[in-house]
């Protein structure tokens, strides 16, 4: 596709539910990133893949957060047992490595 | 700890004015400074600055990096209502590839 796509665009979950957020990067981009953006704040790094390898997961806030990119293209961010503090916009970005990161529209997650 | 600070946090001007947005950074293993425009959801890429003192321009927007003083500015001339957005700057960390973002400057252009 022409840009990074993410789905769903909006997700409402009850506290304790598991959610899965999907990211389709720009075709050919080897690097993929997940960021979390709280209201009124800049995005904060969560994790980074180069192809299928997860090279940095230092930003994942707890072991309830898990990301994968099994075939080096599409990535899924999974949040288990969601909590209210997980409510945020989750942004995915991709790049050719060293080039600018291009962002998707994000998934707005609301945990009730 | 890596840190990026933007100022002002909020700015309201009239259409046609010129604005300067500021970004200072303390980033270990710094590689580049990036500017993004965020209107609804997706931050849209504006500039990537790696070398000091070289101005990058795109239409009415321009930006420059000072690696000695650790800051960057984004200038917008002859502002239009469509320039209203949050402007984010971010430091790119060498090797780790991750971006460290500032809080953003919310720019409002009134007609």
């Amino acid at each position: 596709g022409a840009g990074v796509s993410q789905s769903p665009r909006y997700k409402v979950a009850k506290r304790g539910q598991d959610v899965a957020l999907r990211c389709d990067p720009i075709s050919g981009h080897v690097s993929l990133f997940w960021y979390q953006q709280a209201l009124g704040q800049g995005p904060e790094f969560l994790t980074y893949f180069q192809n299928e390898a997860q090279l940095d997961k230092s930003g994942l806030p707890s072991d309830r957060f898990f990301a994968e990119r099994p075939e080096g293209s599409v990535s899924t961010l999974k949040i288990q047992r969601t909590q209210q503090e997980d409510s945020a916009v989750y942004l995915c970005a991709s790049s050719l490595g060293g080039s600018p990161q291009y962002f998707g529209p994000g998934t707005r997650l609301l945990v009730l | 700890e890596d840190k990026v600070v933007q100022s002002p946090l909020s700015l309201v001007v009239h259409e046609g004015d010129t604005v300067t947005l500021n970004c200072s950074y303390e980033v270990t293993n710094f590689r580049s400074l990036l500017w993004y425009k965020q209107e609804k959801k997706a931050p849209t890429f504006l500039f990537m600055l790696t070398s000091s003192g070289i101005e990058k321009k795109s239409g009415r927007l321009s930006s420059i990096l000072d690696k000695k003083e650790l800051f960057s500015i984004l200038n917008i001339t002859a502002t239009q209502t469509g320039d209203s957005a949050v402007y984010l700057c971010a430091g790119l960390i060498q090797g780790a590839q991750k971006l460290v973002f500032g809080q953003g400057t919310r720019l409002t252009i009134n007609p």
Side-chain angles (χ1 to χ4, degrees):
Chain A
V4 178
S5 61
Q6 294 186 244
S7 61
R9 295 290 306 275
Y10 302 92
K11 177 70 179 178
V12 179
K14 291 183 179 178
R15 190 160 52 99
Q17 280 185 330
D18 297 349
V19 298
L21 313 180
R22 177 188 169 103
C23 172
D24 279 274
I26 294 172
S27 178
H29 279 193
V30 298
S31 299
L32 185 147
F33 306 82
W34 285 98
Y35 292 85
Q36 181 190 60
Q37 187 173 25
L39 192 64
Q41 303 295 316
E44 291 195 1
F45 171 81
L46 293 177
T47 187
Y48 156 52
F49 290 86
Q50 187 168 309
N51 296 305
E52 68 277 5
Q54 189 174 19
L55 299 186
D56 188 345
K57 54 182 181 179
S58 61
L60 296 176
S62 77
D63 58 8
R64 296 186 296 104
F65 287 71
F66 172 76
E68 60 183 5
R69 194 186 185 197
E71 297 179 357
S73 179
V74 170
S75 177
T76 304
L77 176 67
K78 298 179 180 178
I79 309 173
Q80 298 176 323
R81 304 181 303 282
T82 51
Q83 304 294 315
Q84 286 186 320
E85 61 262 29
D86 299 335
S87 296
V89 175
Y90 290 85
L91 294 165
C92 176
S94 70
S95 78
L96 275 172
S99 72
Q101 294 179 22
Y102 294 94
F103 284 82
T107 295
R108 182 178 292 278
L109 173 65
L110 177 62
V111 182
L112 301 176
Chain B
E1 182 184 347
D2 296 323
K3 187 168 61 174
V4 175
V5 177
Q6 293 186 243
S7 64
L9 293 182
S10 180
L11 184 59
V12 181
V13 301
H14 290 291
E15 204 168 18
D17 288 351
T18 293
V19 298
T20 298
L21 309 184
N22 303 293
C23 174
S24 64
Y25 63 92
E26 294 177 26
V27 174
T28 54
N29 298 318
F30 173 84
R31 182 169 187 272
S32 302
L33 192 290
L34 288 84
W35 285 95
Y36 289 87
K37 177 183 182 182
Q38 187 171 31
E39 292 178 86
K40 298 288 186 183
K41 294 281 179 60
T44 305
F45 170 72
L46 295 175
F47 297 110
M48 182 172 175
L49 304 149
T50 303
S51 300
S52 207
I54 299 174
E55 184 182 49
K56 291 206 171 182
K57 288 181 68 89
S58 177
R60 296 176 294 102
L61 278 67
S62 64
S63 184
I64 197 162
L65 174 67
D66 185 328
K67 292 172 76 172
K68 181 180 177 184
E69 299 297 330
L70 307 183
F71 79 90
S72 175
I73 60 172
L74 174 69
N75 280 320
I76 309 175
T77 59
T79 52
Q80 303 171 358
T81 55
D83 295 327
S84 296
V86 173
Y87 289 83
L88 297 163
C89 76
L92 177 65
I93 297 176
Q94 182 92 24
Q97 293 295 316
K98 66 182 180 183
L99 292 171
V100 178
F101 280 90
Q103 192 174 355
T105 293
R106 179 172 294 278
L107 177 63
T108 303
I109 311 296
N110 288 327

